[in-house]
Amino acid sequence: MANLPDFMKYKDKFSESGFVEKISRVAKRAGSKLVYAALILYYTLESPKVSLKDKAYIIGALGYLISPLDVVPDAIPIAGLSDDLAVLVFVLQRVWGDVSDDVKEKAKSKLSQWFDDDEIGNADDVFSTEPSETPV
């Protein structure tokens, strides 16, 4: 995870509606792992157990995800979302101890909106930044 972009400058890019629109639009192409990581971070924002500093990291990471201007443009097949996944996994590792089982289940449940059971199972290894399946 070397050479992460300065995702914290994207905090002002985050909005709930922007997040929902982006995830809905890129879910299948992004893969279940990226979507699962993003959903966990999104739902973790609601937790009172998470510090304000960590919430700022989450907002920065989600802002980076939904921003059309990031280091590797999302339109580039496969590689275009790899930087987004790296940022999400970096922040997810930071806050993982504060992620409740309820948040994990809520995120998995939401995955069923875009993925079948096999694809959802690929999200279990969320900390690997390797693509979990071939994008559609």
Side-chain angles (χ1 to χ4, degrees):
M1 275 208 224
N3 303 330
L4 279 179
D6 180 13
F7 64 90
M8 291 304 291
K9 69 181 183 181
Y10 292 87
K11 289 187 303 210
D12 64 335
K13 303 288 185 197
F14 175 76
S15 70
E16 186 172 339
S17 62
F19 173 76
V20 170
E21 188 275 330
K22 173 79 176 218
I23 288 295
S24 297
R25 189 169 39 85
V26 303
K28 285 302 271 186
R29 186 167 55 91
S32 60
K33 189 181 300 185
L34 183 143
V35 174
Y36 183 55
L39 288 170
I40 287 175
L41 291 174
Y42 177 72
Y43 294 136
T44 297
L45 278 176
E46 301 169 353
S47 173
K49 291 173 44 179
V50 178
S51 71
L52 288 177
K53 183 177 181 180
D54 284 345
K55 285 183 180 188
Y57 277 107
I58 292 170
I59 289 170
L62 295 178
Y64 184 81
L65 172 67
I66 66 176
S67 174
L69 306 172
D70 56 28
V71 175
V72 182
D74 293 346
I76 296 173
I78 301 174
L81 293 166
S82 63
D83 61 321
D84 298 272
L85 180 59
V87 165
L88 294 174
V89 169
F90 172 80
V91 175
L92 192 56
Q93 286 174 328
R94 179 181 177 92
V95 302
W96 190 249
D98 293 326
V99 176
S100 70
D101 289 340
D102 288 346
V103 163
K104 293 173 194 172
E105 284 304 313
K106 190 174 181 180
K108 280 264 176 114
S109 176
K110 187 71 172 172
L111 283 179
S112 66
Q113 185 173 341
W114 299 289
F115 302 100
D116 64 28
D117 289 343
D118 289 341
E119 291 170 313
I120 291 171
N122 288 329
D124 288 336
D125 188 18
V126 72
F127 291 114
S128 163
T129 56
E130 295 299 316
S132 57
E133 66 271 334
T134 305
V136 177

